[in-house]
Amino acid sequence: AASGVYKRQVLKVRFDNSDGKNSFNLVRNDTVVGSYKTGKSDTVIIDSGLMPDSDYRYRVDFLDGSKVISKSDEIAVHTMDTTSHEIQWYIDTLGIGGGYVNDAWIVNENDIYVVGLFRLPDPDSSWNGTGYEEFNAAHWNGEKWEYIRVMDTSGVTIGFNVDIDYVGPLNSIWYFDKNDIWVGGFPVHWDGNKWTLYHLEGMGIDASGDYIWASSPDDIYFVGWKGSIVHYDGKNFTKIESGTDIHLRGIWGLDKKHIWIVGTSRDHSRSIVLQKEGNGWKSIYYTQPHDGKPGGSYFDVWTDRPTRLYFNGLTGRGLMDLITGKVEKIDEPGQWAGLSIMGTKCNDIFAVGYGSEVLHFNGKSWHLYRQFQELYSTYVGWKCVYVTKNVVVVGGYYPTLQWLPIVLRGYR
């Protein structure tokens, strides 16, 4: 099982004068660590068994039979150091129950957003006669949480003329700046003055926009139910065929060209990984019952490079090698199903989920923060994690405490 990322180094070998019969040894620190033969003019190889924060020298010895006929120049590689598991955590509960935190965004340590559903007391029942009022976003200002009700204050939605004052629970958030914020459920946009709801069905688009990833304000993707993929180019929304009816739950990218989506069917029997290919999407991994493949039931995806993907889902944490197409279950101390995963680099990854589990990979080892297990004598379902260099935010809810929303703020 895969336990980390420092066990390998990805190298590309190119042959300038290839005769189609290329044999070579890979030499690390003057020791042969692998022998290869390829008919291609270039090839990608993987060296395993490396340590963090270490220097290595590589070269290639070209062979004729077993005889070395030439040697490449050496290249130097230094692997990343590990990060610390030490974090100062603060616990906040939001509202009075009946809600949850679905997603988070950190601008800085004193500027944090979460979205989902939050209920606050309404003693005179002036909001809707229930004795409580509902909000779907909250903002941490460095001292306290301020509650926000995402609304279409103009009363006019794009493509669907109806007065909507409240758009309900939100699933995701994407922040460009304080005057350019998107939230998902319905796509809703904040321009600094008002919220505008984009009703996809009213615009003739049979799709949902639950989860968001963007490379820029004119390159935004929304994914959701029944294989929904919708692209926004800064002016127009366009539905893109995904080739699947599986619920798409997680999306992450590196730039306009390198984007991945994961999804799991509602009955958890099928799981799919999609990769952007040109203007469309290609399935690069698919599991269904009894097919014998590892992994499956993935809810979220994250990566910092185009050679591997990290997953989190009902089967735990997984790692996909995009060079070989192989998927492995990561060996870590978590026992519960996972829901969200995110990192800053491959030596700083957080994964969260059910059973109050918050996990951190520092480049060498996975650490489980056991202090959150059975907090208040019950388990938390962590639905989201967002991490920057100095701050971590985890959000979720207490199922047995009347669905009380909870946020962890971590500082390092």
Side-chain angles (χ1 to χ4, degrees), residues 81-115:
D81 197 0
T82 58
T83 55
S84 175
H85 293 310
E86 294 296 322
I87 295 176
Q88 180 66 50
W89 296 100
Y90 297 87
I91 302 171
D92 302 323
T93 56
L94 281 64
I96 57 173
Y100 36 80
V101 179
N102 279 337
D103 199 11
W105 191 282
I106 301 168
V107 182
N108 58 58
E109 63 180 17
N110 298 317
D111 193 0
I112 300 169
Y113 290 86
V114 295
V115 297

Side-chain angles (χ1 to χ4, degrees), residues 29 36 75 80 96 98 119-120 128 139 155 197 205 208 229 248 258 277 305 308 342 354 359 362 374 378:
N29 294 351
Y36 303 87
I75 61 170
M80 288 184 182
I96 57 173
R119 289 179 174 173
L120 271 68
N128 66 357
H139 175 250
L197 170 70
I205 300 174
S208 66
I229 302 177
L248 303 179
H258 299 89
E277 296 249 337
R305 59 199 60 197
R308 59 174 168 258
M342 186 181 179
Y354 292 113
L359 295 152
N362 72 348
E374 297 194 27
T378 187

